Amino acid sequence: MSTVHVLDHPLIAHKLSILRSKDTPVKEFRELVGEIAGLMCYEATRSLPTREVEVQTPIGPAHCRELAGKKLAIVPILRAGLGMVDSMVSLIPSAKIGHIGLYRDPETHLPVEYYCKLPEDIGNREVFVVDPMLATGGSAIAAIDFLKKHGCRHIIMMNIIGAPEGVKAVTEAHPDVDLYLAALDDHLNENAYIVPGLGDAGDRIFGTK
Ligand code: PRP
Ligand code: URA
């Protein structure tokens, strides 16, 4: 059964309050998406396995820990997921990056696939799927389905804001996938937008409206 982590941290909460505001301009919005993703990455990687290593400091030997286990990959759902990638890569520089392009049909709200490119060895990696918004869950489920078809068995989903409807749909479809959210909002409106949410994440990151 999936574990759903709703991150409760003063820095995330503060940044989220600015992110949600309709008055926050594109530049600041984009910066905040990256900053929140970095803070979320810190929590979402907490249980990665480590192994002991001995390092020589200028003074003498130090017993340290380094990352062990599977190599990592970050897979943003285009477009809005791109806003979360740079800050994650700055924390995990050796991660490979895949891209899954999906948009929601405005009438049906169902995801439509338009682009996919994954690292060749994606099936051997622990994968962090990133997208600021989890609304109906359709896009997340389609992305995870696609990754599983490519052999991925260790997948973590990171969304800045989730709706209960989306969380339910993803955890039912993929009970082996854990979710990390910065906030769990109230509900979806008649257009399947998250309430209160932050509006259209892609448009606000890229300034397209
Ligand atoms: C948004 C968002 C998610 C999706 C969430 O993308 O970034 O990918 O909607 O909705 P869902 O949970 O109901 O599938 P959108 O389709 O607007 O595309 P964009 O990133 O290109 O703007
Ligand atoms: N996609 C967004 O960008 N925002 C929502 O509220 C729902 C889907």
Side-chain angles (χ1 to χ4, degrees):
M1 193 58 201
S2 307
T3 305
V4 181
H5 304 261
V6 183
L7 303 179
D8 180 21
H9 191 288
L11 288 179
I12 294 179
H14 181 81
K15 288 178 191 297
L16 204 45
S17 73
I18 309 170
L19 190 76
R20 287 182 189 274
S21 168
K22 65 179 175 45
D23 297 323
T24 299
V26 169
K27 176 177 179 290
E28 198 179 348
F29 188 92
R30 198 182 287 147
E31 287 166 0
L32 285 161
V33 166
E35 289 166 13
I36 293 170
L39 292 166
M40 293 182 74
C41 179
Y42 180 77
E43 282 299 329
T45 52
R46 186 177 283 285
S47 56
L48 290 180
T50 58
R51 62 173 162 245
E52 288 183 8
V53 282
E54 190 176 287
V55 169
Q56 299 299 323
T57 80
I59 310 298
H63 300 288
C64 303
R65 307 194 69 78
E66 65 178 14
L67 286 173
K70 284 185 177 298
K71 294 193 170 151
L72 307 181
I74 300 163
V75 176
I77 300 178
L78 308 184
R79 294 175 296 171
L82 287 174
M84 299 172 73
V85 173
D86 285 355
S87 59
M88 292 189 64
V89 171
S90 69
L91 294 171
I92 315 169
S94 62
K96 287 191 176 172
I97 302 170
H99 295 88
I100 298 182
L102 297 169
Y103 71 87
R104 289 200 319 177
D105 181 290
E107 301 297 325
T108 65
H109 307 137
L110 293 173
V112 181
E113 185 186 316
Y114 61 89
Y115 182 78
C116 279
K117 186 79 180 170
L118 299 173
E120 274 182 0
D121 62 351
I122 191 83
N124 296 325
R125 289 179 176 257
E126 176 140 3
V127 181
F128 292 82
V129 182
V130 300
D131 189 334
M133 309 304 275
L134 178 67
T136 64
S139 303
I141 291 170
I144 297 167
D145 283 343
F146 187 79
L147 288 164
K148 286 186 174 175
K149 278 193 196 123
H150 282 75
C152 299
R153 291 291 167 264
H154 298 92
I155 300 172
I156 289 169
M157 185 80 218
M158 281 177 50
N159 302 104
I160 295 181
I161 300 181
E165 295 89 332
V167 170
K168 182 168 184 290
V170 174
T171 55
E172 283 176 6
H174 294 292
D176 54 320
V177 173
D178 287 347
L179 269 63
Y180 286 81
L181 303 171
L184 179 59
D185 274 12
D186 201 52
H187 65 280
L188 298 178
N189 69 14
E190 61 283 6
N191 297 317
Y193 272 81
I194 301 175
V195 181
L198 49 70
D200 189 304
D203 283 339
R204 296 198 64 183
I205 291 172
F206 296 106
T208 37
K209 254 188 199 151

